[in-house]
Amino acid sequence: MPENIATFISTHQWVIALAAIWIIPWKGVALWRAAKNRSAAWFVILLLVNTVGILDIIYIFFFSRKAIPQPVETQKEQKNERIVLDIKSDKNNLDGLNQKS
């Protein structure tokens, strides 16, 4: 049996090249999406199990969700927003006091 596989591989190297060209992009996209979605279980499964791209395609189209990019607010931005709100509320309080006088 090993002689048959070795003979097949040596005479049909284009099959291995074609399989690699098919598998690598699917595997890359699937692993990238699993990492981006912070799905450790899927990442490990996709990394270890080779199904000639079938599991990768299934994950990409059915199980991975497209993450909507949301802006990340830093603590400094949040603090600046609070200061602006505090200034506006102080101004409104002063306007209310001035109207009463």
Side-chain angles (χ1 to χ4, degrees), residues 41-57:
W42 270 107
F43 186 86
V44 171
I45 290 168
L46 292 168
L47 185 63
L48 297 178
V49 177
N50 186 8
T51 57
V52 192
I54 296 170
L55 183 61
D56 304 317
I57 294 169

Side-chain angles (χ1 to χ4, degrees), residues 42-95:
W42 270 107
F43 186 86
V44 171
I45 290 168
L46 292 168
L47 185 63
L48 297 178
V49 177
N50 186 8
T51 57
V52 192
I54 296 170
L55 183 61
D56 304 317
I57 294 169
I58 291 170
Y59 175 75
I60 290 169
F61 290 111
F62 296 109
F63 292 104
S64 73
R65 62 179 192 273
K66 289 187 178 182
I68 299 170
Q70 296 181 4
V72 177
E73 289 188 32
T74 62
Q75 289 180 344
K76 187 175 182 180
E77 289 172 349
Q78 291 173 351
K79 185 178 179 182
N80 289 343
E81 185 176 328
R82 273 190 248 126
I83 291 171
V84 170
L85 292 175
D86 288 342
I87 290 172
K88 285 182 181 178
S89 64
D90 287 345
K91 183 178 179 187
N92 291 337
N93 289 340
L94 290 175
D95 289 341

Side-chain angles (χ1 to χ4, degrees), residues 6-24:
T7 304
F8 178 81
I9 291 173
S10 65
T11 57
H12 296 90
Q13 292 177 354
W14 61 273
V15 173
I16 295 172
L18 187 64
I21 290 170
W22 172 258
I23 294 169
I24 291 172

